[in-house]
């Protein structure tokens, strides 16, 4: 197996591009793909300040590193979700990454700052854990980006993530979600600009990037992810990709090119404002304040109990 560029020994094959790369040219390929995504979708300019949603996993650490390599100024934000040992370990990876590179990592701890954690929120609201978790994270990341005066919030969603979410949304024709599934959501009342610069790289590629760059990341899956539909959608797309390399890329990018705009509803009413925190809200209180109200008065619930009882 030889590198497509220099003919030296290759370390990775990328079937959808029909290409093999040596370590140096693979790292360059990753930088080029991120740079292409940023320019193509006008995600950010080098003079802007970016905030990255950091989980301690491969994708968020890879994009933090890649943005630095490409000359962007990016701080990180880690949210302590209180998911037992998983959260403790993921926080350590995020902190170590930032310390070693002298980068700024902001931190928010759900339990000490808002009086609840994800397992308790799941039990108190009777939502599946990922729903309570996703809502909490979205609110806190948006708020931190706006309060900190950042130009955009960056998330580490990769091609596999976006294709799997698209697949799930299409299976149920969730047109309101399809309208928002774009790699850039412009800033609008109460929301920061949100960008996904990893959309041209697969999960396998961000993992390989971390290994080659010496980035230590949390490999274990979140213990609350079991049974998550997203994982099942990823598996079906992996099977299709195996048969026909490039399927995920074509599925996602053809959607962006040919269909995404058709789902935008020009008559959609803007959201109101949460009475308590001022965030955008569809009713008197935003979803986050509703979670806080229910979960912060609830007795703490351990991870294991949620996995047994509230799925
Ligand atoms: S952390 Fe939270 Fe994920 Fe765990 S509970 Fe689900 S959403 S799986 S990215
Ligand atoms: Zn090479
Ligand atoms: Zn609120």
């Amino acid at each position: 197996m030889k590198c497509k560029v220099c003919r030296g020994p290759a370390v990775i094959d990328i079937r959808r591009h029909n290409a093999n790369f040596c370590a140096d040219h693979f790292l360059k390929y990753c930088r080029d793909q991120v740079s292409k995504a940023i320019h193509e979708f006008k995600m950010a300019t080098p003079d802007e300040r970016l905030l990255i949603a950091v989980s301690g996993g491969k994708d968020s650490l890879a994009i933090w590193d890649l943005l630095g390599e490409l000359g962007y100024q990016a701080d990180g934000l880690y949210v302590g979700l209180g998911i037992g040992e998983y959260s403790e370990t993921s926080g350590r990876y995020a902190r170590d990454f930032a310390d070693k590179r002298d980068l700024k990592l902001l931190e928010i701890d759900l339990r000490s700052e808002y009086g609840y954690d994800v397992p308790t929120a799941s039990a108190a609201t009777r939502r599946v854990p990922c729903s309570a978790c996703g809502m909490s994270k979205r609110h806190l990341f948006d708020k931190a980006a706006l309060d900190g005066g950042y130009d955009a919030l960056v998330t580490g969603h990769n091609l596999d993530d976006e294709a799997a979410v698209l697949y799930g949304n299409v299976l149920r024709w969730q047109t309101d979600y399809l309208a928002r599934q774009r790699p850039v959501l412009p800033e609008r009342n109460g929301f920061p600009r949100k960008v996904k610069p990893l959309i041209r790289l697969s999960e396998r590629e961000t993992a390989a990037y971390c290994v080659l760059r010496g980035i230590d990341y949390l490999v274990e899956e979140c213990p609350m992810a079991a049974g998550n539909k997203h994982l099942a959608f990823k598996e079906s797309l992996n099977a299709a990709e195996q048969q026909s390399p490039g399927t995920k890329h074509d599925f996602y990018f053809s959607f962006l090119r040919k269909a995404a705009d058709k789902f935008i509803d020009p008559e959609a009413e803007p959201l109101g404002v949460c009475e308590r925190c001022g965030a955008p809200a569809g009713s008197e209180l935003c979803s986050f304040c509703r979670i806080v109200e229910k979960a912060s008065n609830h007795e703490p619930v351990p991870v294991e109990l949620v996995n047994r009882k509230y799925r």
Side-chain angles (χ1 to χ4, degrees):
M1 200 164 88
K2 286 188 175 151
C3 171
K4 180 187 173 178
V5 185
C6 69
R7 312 305 297 162
V11 296
I12 188 164
D13 62 316
I14 303 185
R15 287 178 64 207
R16 74 176 182 288
H17 291 302
N18 204 9
N20 306 321
F21 292 111
C22 68
D24 284 352
H25 287 116
F26 174 69
L27 295 176
K28 180 176 184 305
Y29 157 84
C30 293
R31 292 192 299 271
D32 289 350
Q33 294 299 319
V34 168
S35 181
K36 188 169 175 185
I38 293 175
H39 289 114
E40 189 176 352
F41 295 100
K42 299 189 175 56
M43 293 184 181
T45 54
D47 56 330
E48 290 185 319
R49 288 177 64 236
L50 308 175
L51 181 66
I52 305 184
V54 175
S55 68
K58 61 185 185 326
D59 300 311
S60 55
L61 297 182
I63 193 57
W64 202 355
D65 189 67
L66 278 158
L67 287 173
E69 288 288 294
L70 291 169
Y72 291 88
Q73 322 159 40
D75 296 340
L77 170 61
Y78 172 79
V79 176
L81 303 167
I83 307 178
E85 216 180 296
Y86 170 79
S87 287
E88 281 158 33
T89 320
S90 59
R92 271 203 302 278
Y93 280 104
R95 275 171 228 124
D96 282 356
F97 178 90
D99 287 350
K100 279 190 191 143
R101 292 158 183 82
D102 219 4
L103 293 167
K104 183 172 170 188
L105 180 70
L106 312 174
E107 288 199 48
I108 297 173
D109 184 70
L110 274 185
R111 173 59 64 193
S112 54
E113 293 177 49
Y114 293 94
Y116 76 95
D117 48 45
V118 165
T120 308
S122 170
T125 59
R126 303 204 160 262
R127 287 173 180 278
V128 289
C130 292
S131 158
C133 179
M135 251 175 212
S136 304
K137 284 193 290 192
R138 272 195 298 279
H139 176 91
L140 294 170
F141 286 133
D142 287 358
K143 177 171 158 44
L146 293 172
D147 292 353
Y150 289 94
D151 294 292
L153 174 69
V154 176
T155 55
H157 295 97
N158 58 42
L159 176 59
D160 298 66
D161 295 324
E162 290 305 289
V165 171
L166 176 61
Y167 187 41
N169 289 340
V170 167
L171 284 179
R172 292 192 212 87
W173 289 111
Q174 285 174 305
T175 50
D176 45 343
Y177 291 162
L178 288 168
R180 276 180 273 139
Q181 208 193 336
R182 278 168 291 147
V184 179
L185 289 178
E187 180 176 2
R188 61 198 162 104
N189 28 2
F191 294 106
R193 185 193 325 151
K194 297 185 196 187
V195 302
K196 299 175 180 173
L198 277 186
I199 47 162
R200 299 187 63 87
L201 292 177
S202 73
E203 209 156 86
R204 176 171 165 265
E205 288 151 33
T206 59
Y209 179 86
C210 287
V211 171
L212 292 171
R213 287 284 291 165
I215 298 171
D216 291 326
Y217 62 90
L218 180 66
V219 177
E220 287 87 60
E221 285 280 347
C222 168
M224 319 223 80
N228 181 327
K229 290 195 190 80
H230 188 70
L231 296 180
F233 297 146
K234 274 190 175 173
E235 276 170 25
S236 355
L237 287 173
N238 284 343
E241 182 80 20
Q242 181 68 26
Q243 285 288 318
S244 175
T247 299
K248 286 179 209 173
H249 179 102
D250 289 346
F251 178 49
Y252 178 61
F253 283 92
S254 298
F255 162 75
L256 293 181
R257 227 178 23 254
K258 298 180 182 173
D261 289 349
K262 299 193 169 44
F263 294 101
I264 298 171
D265 178 0
E267 284 167 20
E269 296 276 329
L271 289 171
V273 169
C274 173
E275 279 181 357
R276 198 161 295 166
C277 75
S283 55
E284 284 167 16
L285 291 186
C286 70
S287 330
F288 180 75
C289 287
R290 276 184 275 146
I291 293 180
V292 174
E293 198 166 77
K294 285 193 178 151
S296 58
N297 291 318
H298 196 284
E299 194 185 320
V301 176
V303 176
E304 309 75 48
L305 187 64
V306 176
N307 273 344
R308 282 207 305 274
K309 212 169 163 184
Y310 295 99
R311 289 202 160 275

